[in-house]
Amino acid sequence: MNEPRLSPCLWFRTEADAAAEFYTSTLGGSILRRSYYPDTENVGGYAPGDLLTVDFSIGGLEFTALNGGPEFTPNPSVSFMIEVEEAAEVDRIAASLLDGGETLMPVDAYPWSTCYGWVQDRFGISWQLMATGQPRTTIMPTLLFSSDSAGRAGEALEHYAQVFHTTAENVSRYGPDEGEREGWIGHASIPLLGARLAVTDGDTGHGHPFSEAISLQVLCDTQEQIDRYWDALTAEGGRESQCGWLVDRFGVSWQVSPASMAGWLASDDGAARARAFRAMMQMRKLDLPTLEAAYRGE
C-alpha cells in the first residue's frame, strides 16, 4: 500500500489539452495519460468521446487538467510557486507564460528575493517565479487567504498539520508596522503528501475567494484513507460536493479520490471506463470497492 499523494487539479472549459501541452513544453515535463467522456452519452454538454482529463508532470509534481465546463474560473487565490536556480530562467519562463497572459507583479528585486515575479497565463492560471540559487526546479501550490478568508492562514496551517500529520516550516509573520495584519502569516510552507503547500495572508476587503477552479487532489490507495481525509477535511464547517469533491472550512477545494481512478478513466476498455464514470457521478464521498466493482463489471 502506497502513501496518499497530492496532485493539483486545474479546471478548464475545453482547454485542458492545450494547457497541459503548454505547461510541459514551457516547464519541462511530460504528459502521463488522457481520459475521455463515456462513448455512449452526453455529459455536462460534452459529446461522447470528448476529452475529460489530461494528467501531466512538471517540476516533480503531478497535475490533472480537467475539461469540466464554464462554472468555475481560476484566480490568484491559488497560484503555483516555481523555484529555479538562475534569474535568466525566471525571465525565460515569465516571457513564455506572459504570451497572452498578464503581469501581476513584474519580475524584479523584492525584499524577499533578488529575482521574483507573479504572472497569470493565457488560461488564467497564476504562477509565482523566484530564483533561489538551488539547482533543482520545484513547484509548490500556494494559497492566498484574502477577502473574507484574510487572516486565517495560520489557522489553516494548524488544521492541515493535524489532518496530514505534518509540521509547518519557514513561518514568517507580519510585524507591528503592518497594522491589522500584525501576526498574520507573511509566508509559510508545509510538507504535505510528498509535495509542499505554501500559505500567505492577503488583504481584507478585497482579493479573490477560493474556487473549485483549482482543487487539491488527495490520491488514496484504500477506502480507509479516503474516509479519513474526507471526514477530516469536511469537518467543522466543510462542505461535501459531488464525485469526491469537497470544500473545507476555509473555502479551499479538495478532491479525495482513489489513485487507481485515473487509470480506470483512461482505460482502452470503453465499457469499463463508462461504468466507472457513471458510478463516480452518483457519489459524493467516493466508495472504492463499488467503483472497482463497476469498472470490472461485477
Side-chain angles (χ1 to χ4, degrees):
M1 181 179 71
N2 296 319
E3 290 298 312
R5 67 183 191 275
L6 188 74
S7 174
C9 179
L10 312 178
W11 179 290
F12 301 98
R13 186 167 186 173
T14 59
E15 304 89 355
D17 202 41
E21 292 285 358
F22 176 60
Y23 299 143
T24 54
S25 173
T26 298
L27 300 170
S30 59
I31 302 294
L32 302 176
R33 67 186 71 82
R34 291 177 171 87
S35 71
Y36 300 87
Y37 280 95
D39 294 336
T40 56
E41 58 191 275
N42 290 293
V43 180
Y46 293 93
D50 279 354
L51 183 73
L52 174 61
T53 63
V54 184
D55 294 327
F56 62 98
S57 177
I58 51 175
L61 188 62
E62 184 174 323
F63 288 73
T64 297
L66 165 70
N67 282 335
E71 289 84 358
F72 306 118
T73 303
N75 66 57
S77 64
V78 183
S79 61
F80 297 94
M81 174 72 76
I82 305 175
E83 297 180 340
V84 298
E85 182 175 8
E86 303 287 348
E89 184 67 354
V90 169
D91 291 336
R92 182 194 70 80
I93 295 172
S96 181
L97 294 174
L98 284 170
D99 182 7
E102 63 178 294
T103 298
L104 302 180
M105 294 179 67
V107 174
D108 205 341
Y110 293 88
W112 57 88
S113 173
T114 58
C115 183
Y116 167 90
W118 193 345
V119 303
Q120 183 170 284
D121 68 33
R122 70 186 75 163
F123 303 105
I125 307 299
S126 300
W127 306 84
Q128 300 184 59
L129 313 171
M130 186 162 63
T132 64
Q134 300 299 316
R136 183 167 177 262
T137 298
T138 61
I139 297 180
M140 180 167 52
T142 301
L143 307 180
L144 174 63
F145 291 77
S146 64
S147 190
D148 292 342
S149 66
R152 302 192 71 188
E155 181 188 351
L157 268 182
E158 293 179 6
H159 180 58
Y160 298 151
Q162 182 179 29
V163 170
F164 296 102
H165 300 307
T166 185
T167 303
E169 300 175 346
N170 307 313
V171 179
S172 66
R173 296 182 181 272
Y174 290 111
D177 58 339
E178 293 290 339
E180 68 175 358
R181 293 197 295 179
E182 181 180 358
W184 289 8
I185 300 294
H187 183 273
S189 63
I190 186 168
L192 199 155
L193 304 181
R196 298 187 70 80
L197 178 70
V199 304
T200 184
D201 276 312
D203 293 326
T204 60
H206 66 277
H208 302 278
F210 292 116
S211 162
E212 287 93 330
I214 301 179
S215 57
L216 300 175
Q217 297 179 102
V218 179
L219 302 178
C220 301
D221 272 1
T222 68
Q223 188 63 44
E224 181 182 7
Q225 292 171 347
I226 292 171
D227 292 344
R228 175 172 125 61
Y229 290 114
W230 181 269
D231 293 345
L233 289 168
T234 56
E236 300 180 37
R239 174 172 55 84
E240 296 184 0
S241 188
Q242 295 293 116
C243 305
W245 294 66
L246 65 93
V247 177
D248 71 20
R249 67 195 198 209
F250 307 103
V252 178
S253 183
W254 300 79
Q255 297 179 59
V256 182
S257 304
S260 51
M261 195 72 193
W264 295 341
L265 294 179
S267 170
D268 291 334
D269 185 335
R273 187 172 71 239
R275 290 193 300 268
F277 182 87
R278 291 192 200 102
M280 177 188 69
M281 292 292 289
Q282 297 172 20
M283 298 177 182
R284 288 183 175 268
K285 181 174 71 173
L286 297 186
D287 184 311
L288 176 55
T290 301
L291 289 168
E292 185 168 15
Y295 175 73
R296 298 185 185 283
E298 298 171 355

